[in-house]
Amino acid sequence: SQQGEEDPQALSIQEGENATMNCSYKTSINNLQWYRQNSGRGLVHLILIRSNEREKHSGRLRVTLDTSKKSSSLLITASRAADTASYFCAEYNNNDMRFGAGTRLTVKP
Amino acid sequence: GAGVSQSPSNKVTEKGKDVELRCDPISGHTALYWYRQSLGQGLEFLIYFQGNSAPDKSGLPSDRFSAERTGGSVSTLTIQRTQQEDSAVYLCASSPDRGRVHLHFGNGTRLTVT
């Protein structure tokens, strides 16, 4: 079964704007990860945040984690048309990696 | 180095036939996962292998589904007596060890059952 839910299901923005995607999960986690999937391809790992971390940055990506609310957010700043893809969060707990349904991001040039 | 390789990339089969999907993980990766992704949907966990431990089969949707991992490397997912609802993309992923690792995905096998 799938775990977690991303919000929104779909997001459309203009190039240069910021995109924020949210993820809620249900169990305790060792870490939470975000992945990106281009159409017809496999998923690519973007960033991992440990359960004892609250915020992490990687380039134009910023991830936050609130374990009290069992939620995480992914912020993509200064978006580009090439950021168009589906974004998934994945909760990792003791070898168990479960993915949400994803957010479909469209960045219009 | 080489990534996770899945074959075939596309498979069309008739309802009732058996199919085998293959995954070659990254060399040295001890963990291997299979997921199923229906059109426009998220990933549904199927099965997980870790080294020589017994696999976690808790996600297999029915007894028509089975998977093996020979020699701790290549894995085969077998679907017997395929049904139309089995149509999906089957994704394989591997990782080097348990812990704070992330998954490396193949590009999947798109299965269409007619």
Side-chain angles (χ1 to χ4, degrees):
Chain A
S1 61
Q2 293 191 79
Q3 302 281 340
E5 297 180 1
E6 279 92 341
D7 166 50
Q9 291 186 342
L11 179 62
S12 181
I13 59 174
Q14 292 293 138
E15 204 165 30
E17 294 180 340
N18 296 340
T20 299
M21 290 160 272
N22 303 297
C23 167
S24 60
Y25 59 93
K26 298 174 183 175
T27 65
S28 61
I29 56 172
N30 298 128
N31 63 65
L32 188 134
Q33 304 180 22
W34 285 88
Y35 288 79
R36 166 194 168 125
Q37 184 181 35
N38 286 77
S39 181
R41 309 285 288 183
L43 280 71
V44 175
H45 177 260
L46 294 176
I47 194 166
L48 178 155
I49 186 165
R50 290 177 284 180
S51 59
N52 62 352
E53 296 176 316
R54 292 296 168 259
E55 187 170 315
K56 201 162 184 179
H57 297 254
S58 176
R60 294 185 296 112
L61 305 180
R62 172 180 170 246
V63 170
T64 62
L65 180 65
D66 187 336
T67 53
S68 67
K69 295 181 180 178
K70 288 188 165 57
S71 68
S72 174
S73 67
L74 171 67
L75 168 68
I76 304 174
T77 59
S79 64
R80 305 166 182 168
D83 294 330
T84 294
S86 292
Y87 292 82
F88 295 88
C89 70
E91 48 188 285
Y92 181 83
N93 182 34
N94 296 329
N95 313 317
D96 193 9
M97 182 86 82
R98 302 298 172 111
F99 288 80
T103 292
R104 175 69 190 170
L105 174 66
T106 301
V107 182
K108 292 180 271 190
Chain B
V4 176
S5 177
Q6 292 188 246
S7 61
S9 55
N10 282 283
K11 176 71 176 179
V12 180
T13 190
E14 292 180 350
K15 178 182 172 181
K17 295 285 178 76
D18 298 351
V19 294
E20 283 189 354
L21 312 180
R22 177 187 168 104
C23 173
D24 280 277
I26 292 173
S27 178
H29 280 194
T30 57
L32 187 148
Y33 297 75
W34 282 98
Y35 293 89
R36 178 168 71 176
Q37 185 176 32
S38 300
L39 186 63
Q41 300 297 308
L43 276 69
E44 176 188 4
F45 168 77
L46 297 177
I47 189 169
Y48 162 72
F49 296 90
Q50 173 64 51
N52 295 321
S53 302
D56 176 357
K57 303 180 181 180
S58 61
L60 294 178
S62 77
D63 59 8
R64 296 186 296 104
F65 287 73
S66 63
E68 291 183 339
R69 189 177 184 193
T70 54
S73 181
V74 172
S75 178
T76 302
L77 177 68
T78 301
I79 309 174
Q80 296 178 309
R81 304 181 301 282
T82 52
Q83 303 294 314
Q84 288 187 330
E85 60 263 29
D86 299 334
S87 296
V89 175
Y90 290 82
L91 291 164
C92 173
S94 68
S95 70
D97 205 346
R98 61 187 67 195
R100 298 185 296 110
V101 297
H102 63 267
L103 301 187
H104 301 255
F105 279 84
N107 285 328
T109 294
R110 180 175 297 279
L111 175 66
T112 303
V113 182
T114 60

